[in-house]
């Protein structure tokens, strides 16, 4: 009888272990809290390193394109507006005497339409056509292109045209100056 009690106790213990060791029933679904981060980038402008506008005579005009200028906005802003501006130094040849100088005000700039854009919002050229051309200045910034509204990232490219109104008293030579685009 004592053997029967031990066997019964052993069987009951084995049944309990089996019951406790049984796998739990799986839930029909489960969730995982997941995150990621969109990083704030920068607002940049890239313009050609050099440009040759061509040749012309004193009292005439020299017209040429500067090359593609591109604004890249990767700030990820709720308001992705920006303004691109342009200014210029004096153009000089030789010793830079008055007949060897072309002032920024004697050089007209027009952005023309966008050659490419990405993103949302409104892209607006500063000067859409040649008739809208405006003189450059060495101090006051001229609006080249704007973007208003939109969110996140965007880009805009344009190929501006410069019209040099060569002064009648200009002497022959290669005139060098700097056209600077900026964005804010």
């Amino acid at each position: 009888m004592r053997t029967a009690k031990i066997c019964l106790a052993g069987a009951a213990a084995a049944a309990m272990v089996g019951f406790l060791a049984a796998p739990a029933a799986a839930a029909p679904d489960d969730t995982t809290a997941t995150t990621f981060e969109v990083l704030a980038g920068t607002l940049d402008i890239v313009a050609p390193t050099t440009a040759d506008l061509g040749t012309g005579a004193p009292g005439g005009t020299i017209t040429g394109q500067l090359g593609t200028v591109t604004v890249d906005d990767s700030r990820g802003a709720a308001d992705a507006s920006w303004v691109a501006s342009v200014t210029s130094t004096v153009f000089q040849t030789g010793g830079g005497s008055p007949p060897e100088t072309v002032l920024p005000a004697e050089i007209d700039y027009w952005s023309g339409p966008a050659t490419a854009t990405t993103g949302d919002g409104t892209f607006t050229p500063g000067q859409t056509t040649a008739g809208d051309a405006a003189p450059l200045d060495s101090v006051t910034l001229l609006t080249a292109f704007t973007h208003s509204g939109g969110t996140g990232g965007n880009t805009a490219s344009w190929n501006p045209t410069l019209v040099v109104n060569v002064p009648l008293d200009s002497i022959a030579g290669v005139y060098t100056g700097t056209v600077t685009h900026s964005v804010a």
Side-chain angles (χ1 to χ4, degrees), residues 43-46 69-73 75 79-87 109 111 122-127 140-149 154 156 158 180-184:
L43 178 61
D44 299 306
I45 192 164
V46 176
V69 177
T70 301
V71 171
D72 183 5
D73 182 359
R75 296 172 295 171
D79 178 3
S81 298
W82 49 259
V83 175
S85 304
V86 61
T87 188
Y109 177 100
S111 58
T122 304
F123 297 92
T124 307
Q127 308 76 30
T140 305
L141 297 173
L142 177 66
T143 298
F145 226 91
T146 63
H147 176 259
S148 58
N154 63 78
W158 65 97
T180 302
H181 285 87
S182 57
V183 66

Side-chain angles (χ1 to χ4, degrees), residues 92-97 100:
Q92 296 179 335
T93 191
S97 67
E100 298 171 306

Side-chain angles (χ1 to χ4, degrees), residues 48-77:
T49 305
T50 61
D52 183 348
L53 301 178
T55 61
T61 59
I62 300 169
T63 302
Q65 289 189 294
L66 195 61
T68 302
V69 177
T70 301
V71 171
D72 183 5
D73 182 359
S74 63
R75 296 172 295 171

Side-chain angles (χ1 to χ4, degrees), residues 26-55:
D29 58 33
D30 203 358
T31 60
T32 302
T34 306
T35 63
F36 61 88
E37 181 179 6
V38 175
L39 297 174
T42 58
L43 178 61
D44 299 306
I45 192 164
V46 176
T49 305
T50 61
D52 183 348
L53 301 178
T55 61

